[in-house]
Amino acid sequence: MKLVVVSAGLSVPSSTRLLADRLAAAVGRQAAGVEVEVVELRDLAVEIAHNFTNGFPERRLAAALEAVTEADGVIAVTPVFTASYSGLFKSFFDVLDREALVGKPVLIAATGGTARHSLVLEHALRPMFAYLRAVVAPTGVYAASEDWGAEGLEARIERAAGELAALMTGLTGTKREAPPAVVPFEEQLARLAAS
């Protein structure tokens, strides 16, 4: 199974990337055979901007978009700017094909300076991924500055990773049955009359 981690952290080192790495490691502990690829959006910022102006992804951006499209699951992590996801984070998902995340398991996460922004998961990230028709894990993970090294963060990481691993295994490990055949209305009436 392929897990792609999209990290929109801007600094080096980045608490956003740290959270992304911890989430990916936790998924790896809970699902056997997970191959992880990290997409660092900071390195793609110029190519994302060029894609908006010319309509074509350059080589590295095309590879990142393909990785997300081909993934069995995605972890999407953004820093909080002005009470929402970062512009770079949103821009990446704006240039991604609209069908790329349909039915794909996604774990949402964010970092910020204060716990006051923790609702960004519910008022910004979850609606965006619902619009893209992804299957969003029930538990999102928000890490404020005071959460690092404090109790509770690791438990949230493990719970969210377990949910994503279960979604990835369930959605990629089972065969979907074909939907039942549509029976024309006239045939349904004939069956009812015969019974």
Side-chain angles (χ1 to χ4, degrees):
M1 284 188 298
K2 183 175 180 184
L3 173 64
V4 174
V5 180
V6 178
S7 173
L10 297 177
S11 60
V12 178
S14 162
S15 62
T16 302
R17 175 62 189 268
L18 178 60
L19 180 58
D21 289 344
R22 286 193 182 181
L23 289 164
V27 172
R29 287 190 297 272
Q30 298 189 38
V34 173
E35 174 191 330
V36 177
E37 180 177 343
V38 177
V39 173
E40 193 70 68
L41 297 184
R42 176 186 66 243
D43 300 335
L44 301 173
V46 172
E47 290 188 28
I48 292 169
H50 287 171
N51 191 62
F52 278 115
T53 58
N54 66 25
F56 299 101
E58 295 171 28
R59 183 183 53 80
R60 291 185 311 151
L61 177 58
L65 295 171
E66 182 179 347
V68 170
T69 301
E70 298 297 320
D72 296 306
V74 174
I75 295 174
V77 189
T78 181
V80 174
F81 289 122
T82 320
S84 190
Y85 37 67
S86 73
L88 180 59
F89 182 84
K90 179 67 166 66
S91 295
F92 177 76
F93 289 101
D94 283 344
V95 299
L96 184 68
D97 183 273
R98 289 184 184 230
E99 303 296 313
L101 294 179
V102 174
K104 192 177 304 285
V106 174
L107 190 163
I108 55 174
T111 58
T114 173
R116 291 180 300 178
H117 294 298
S118 62
L119 285 177
V120 69
L121 297 172
E122 302 306 323
H123 77 74
L125 272 76
R126 193 172 301 277
M128 183 183 86
F129 286 105
Y131 174 79
L132 295 170
R133 296 180 286 160
V135 178
V136 183
T139 301
V141 179
Y142 179 82
S145 296
E146 64 264 16
D147 288 328
W148 298 102
E151 278 188 51
L153 179 59
E154 286 305 316
R156 293 195 314 271
I157 287 171
E158 291 297 326
R159 182 174 59 240
E163 292 169 358
L164 181 63
L167 286 169
M168 288 173 63
T169 303
L171 293 177
T172 61
T174 60
K175 292 183 180 179
R176 294 178 182 88
E177 293 182 21
V182 177
V183 178
F185 181 70
E186 295 79 17
E187 188 176 326
Q188 290 179 25
L189 286 177
R191 288 181 186 175
L192 283 172
S195 58

